[in-house]
Every structure is written in structure tokens, then in C-alpha cells.
Amino acid sequence: MAVSPQALPRAKSLEKELCVPIKLLDKSLVQLLVEDDRLSLQVPDIGNPVFIDFSSGKYDHRRKFGGGKGQPLAKAVGMKQGHTPNIIDATAGFARDAFVLASLGSTVTMLEQSPLISLLIEDALQQKEMADEVKVITERMTIHHANAIDFLSTLQEQPDVVYMDPMYPSRDKSALVKKEMQVLHQLIGPDTNSEELLTLARQVARRRVVVKRPKGAEFVGNQKPSASIQSKNTRYDLYVNS
């Protein structure tokens, strides 16, 4: 496996654009690592580099054991017999939910405002040494480095579903936050526009908007959903267009 040739030029250009030095395995200095097999992020005080590999780890586990179309996420976006929606994931993050949705048959357009995280996703999608069953899934996924509000404002074709997973602060600042969430917090910062994004998404989506929230969290912008679907630690708020 090697760093995809399409992603490498972007990685090099980011060195100037973001003033982020790109070096090999010098974890004390860098944020973006160009290694032999992949691109990864080294964020100060986070620990080991963070990368995306759709063929292993949590991605592979959720693909195999996530519950198929009976899982809450699938129900939330309206998957059912004879209907597989096309989806815009407006807050892609590390593309976990996007990968699950694509594994269930949806075409997923991912939007990510962080240039570094969008680059990791791009590199992961273009890896050549990928199992055929995973490649079929990633071929249904595309990534755009974009501000979601700007992207949706100029959209030409309506998606069936807009999916949102806004940044949510840890309730207990002393608690350890998962490494990936720490990376997102450091690179993206606090959520400042989810209310505006939800309002716009409800105008754009053909069928519904789905907002992922921690169980017990307030509704985004005090906008009451049409319905909610609960899982153990998560709630999916549904804004259904009639």
C-alpha cells in the first residue's frame, strides 16, 4: 500500500497553504505525515498518528457487525426495502457514518471543512490495495473539502437526505475524549453554525434531514424534529419533508 499519487501533490501544497511542515516521521514537529503506506495526522498531545483505513479497525467491524439496514442510523436516513437514499454528509469528520451508509448501498457525498481531514479521507478512498468488497463501497463515496453552508447554497441537484453530526463539547472537561474527537476539536474548533446549517439543509433535502446528537442533548437551534430514533448513547433527530 502506498500514499495515493492524487493525494500527495495536495499534501505538498498544504505545506505552504497552512504553514504546516511536512516531514517523515518527525512526530515532534508535524501535523501531516507522509509515510510509506499512508497519510496521517500527528496532533500535539494526542499520541500516535491518526489515519483512515476503510479496510480495518472500527470501519471493518461496523461493516460486518453493525446491524445492516436494521441499525438506528439506517432507519434514521429512511433505508427500507426498495429505497436506498442518496445522501450528503455535511459534517464528514473521519467518515465513519458515511462509510456505514455507503456499505448499505447509498451514494454518499461527504463535505469536510478541514483541509487536513478531507485529505486523509481522499487518500483512504484512493488506496490501491483494497479488498474488492471494500472498494465497491468506497466507489459510492466522494469527498469535497468545503464549507457545508456554501456547498449546499449552490447545490444544483437535491439529495434525498442531508446528514449532520455537529461538533458537541465534552460535558466533563476533565474526562478523556476519544483521540479522533480530540483531533476534530483541535482542527475544526467549536460548532458555531449548526443552526444555520440545519435551516438550510431542511430547504435542500428532498426527503429529510438527520441530525446526530448525544442522548439527552438539546435540539439544534431549538428546532423540534418530526421524530427521533434512539440508540444506546446517541439520538437521531429527523426533520422530514412532507
Side-chain angles (χ1 to χ4, degrees), residues 51-233:
F51 59 89
I52 297 173
D53 182 357
F54 293 120
S55 300
S56 66
K58 293 180 181 179
Y59 298 93
D60 189 53
H61 186 271
R62 285 189 69 182
R63 176 175 69 86
K64 293 177 178 176
F65 307 110
K69 291 187 177 180
Q71 62 186 289
L73 174 60
K75 292 179 179 179
V77 300
M79 285 189 178
K80 55 187 177 182
Q81 189 71 28
H83 177 64
T84 305
N86 61 76
I87 299 168
I88 289 181
D89 183 345
T91 53
F94 286 95
R96 290 202 186 282
D97 288 340
F99 181 73
V100 171
L101 294 168
S103 74
L104 298 174
S106 283
T107 300
V108 184
T109 300
M110 299 174 285
L111 311 179
E112 176 49 54
Q113 63 180 329
S114 165
L116 289 172
I117 297 176
S118 66
L119 184 61
L120 290 196
I121 297 173
E122 181 181 339
D123 184 53
L125 290 173
Q126 295 170 347
Q127 292 289 346
K128 292 183 178 179
E129 294 184 18
M130 187 184 294
D132 289 343
E133 60 268 25
V134 177
K135 188 173 183 180
V136 168
I137 297 169
T138 59
E139 286 175 348
R140 290 193 283 265
M141 302 167 66
T142 56
I143 177 66
H144 296 270
H145 167 223
N147 175 281
I149 291 175
D150 293 341
F151 188 94
L152 295 181
S153 296
T154 58
L155 201 61
Q156 298 298 312
E157 186 175 345
Q158 285 183 291
D160 292 322
V161 177
V162 176
Y163 179 75
M164 295 172 50
D165 183 6
M167 190 73 68
Y168 192 77
S170 174
R171 295 178 188 175
D172 182 357
K173 294 183 179 179
S174 66
L176 290 176
V177 182
K178 290 182 179 179
K179 179 167 46 170
E180 289 181 358
M181 188 58 66
Q182 288 180 299
V183 172
L184 290 174
H185 275 289
Q186 290 201 33
L187 292 180
I188 299 175
D191 170 41
T192 58
N193 64 1
S194 59
E195 182 177 356
E196 182 182 359
L197 178 57
L198 174 56
T199 299
L200 177 59
R202 294 177 68 177
Q203 298 170 10
V204 167
R206 182 183 293 111
R207 293 179 179 269
R208 67 180 63 183
V209 179
V210 178
V211 182
K212 183 179 182 180
R213 300 296 280 160
K215 196 171 183 179
E218 68 279 3
F219 300 137
V220 169
N222 291 319
Q223 297 186 47
K224 186 177 180 180
S226 309
S228 295
I229 294 177
Q230 304 272 358
S231 63
K232 182 177 179 181
N233 298 310

